Amino acid sequence: RAKATRSGRAVFYQPSMDEDREARVNMANDLRLALDKDALTVVYQPIFDAHTRMMCGVEALVRWNRAGQGFVAPDIFIPIAEDNGLIGRIGEFVMRHALTEAAKWPRISVAINISPLQLHDASFVGSAAAIIDACGFPADRVILELTEGFFVRNPDRAKHSMAQLQRNGFRIALDDFGSGFSSVGYLREFGFDRLKIDRSLVHALGKTEKAGDLLKATVALASSFDIPVTAEGIETLAQADYVSECGCDELQGFFFSRPVSGEEISRMLADTGWTASVA
Ligand code: C2E
Ligand code: MG
Ligand code: MG
Ligand code: MG
């Protein structure tokens, strides 16, 4: 953020710690109000089978249109919700909303992002199972997306929660693989059902040789465990072709479709001839 000085030069403007804290408190308060008023929404990004290029699933993504300020990115407000005890309510809202809407959609799976903090809550498994029952959506078509942080910090606890969820029929994906210190060792050790390749790795393809090598080795290992791999963040035809050649099973990204409303997903599914633009 730059502020013009009287001489017309721009100097770097750094918010003070107090201003920053105040902004976060305000955001948490607005978020709480939005939850009270049911003012959050959910959009869905289609995921395509790499072979048939037919839609095989969607990822549910929360959206918050903050009163008077426009949309706030989840990467900004999810951490604030986590710090302010609101993540459980957001998680329940997204799951209930998405699975109610998805009950109309035949065949496809629905992926839902789960914050590690939700898994810390002992009531999480029970409430997820209750939502499934109430929505009439089969648990084996729900994929819960988790990032590795939880598994690194609390391996025993993570194993226990995962096994409980899987006993209830849910499937579990390791999200954002390749964005941090991800280790393919987790795939087998924790019994993941699916692997999602982070867009930072997809975007590095063709720029560094290492990225392609890492992707190929990862896909080879995952398929030796029979774990399907989804590549996310695909923005170009070249990326779509490359990750397909590397053996990725499913494709997701702006190249195919941005996240859209539930009505739009219903329309796409009703149009039986509809496949990703580059069959
Ligand atoms: P994520 O789970 O890795 O979700 C994928 C993100 O990448 C989404 O951003 C999606 O819009 C974006 N994306 C998809 N395709 C492309 C592409 O081709 N190019 C680019 N540049 N981006 C693409 P979004 O919706 O802003 O969400 C960001 C993150 O916020 C998610 O990352 C997830 O970690 C978190 N998040 C979103 N919704 C929820 C939720 O309901 N609960 C929780 N706990 N976290 C959520
Ligand atoms: Mg995700
Ligand atoms: Mg991801
Ligand atoms: Mg992410």
Side-chain angles (χ1 to χ4, degrees), residues 115-130:
S115 155
L117 286 187
Q118 289 176 264
L119 284 189
H120 279 295
D121 185 340
S123 66
F124 176 72
V125 177
S127 76

Side-chain angles (χ1 to χ4, degrees), residues 75 147 175-176 198 232:
D75 282 327
T147 50
D175 200 0
D176 297 350
D198 193 64
E232 62 182 18

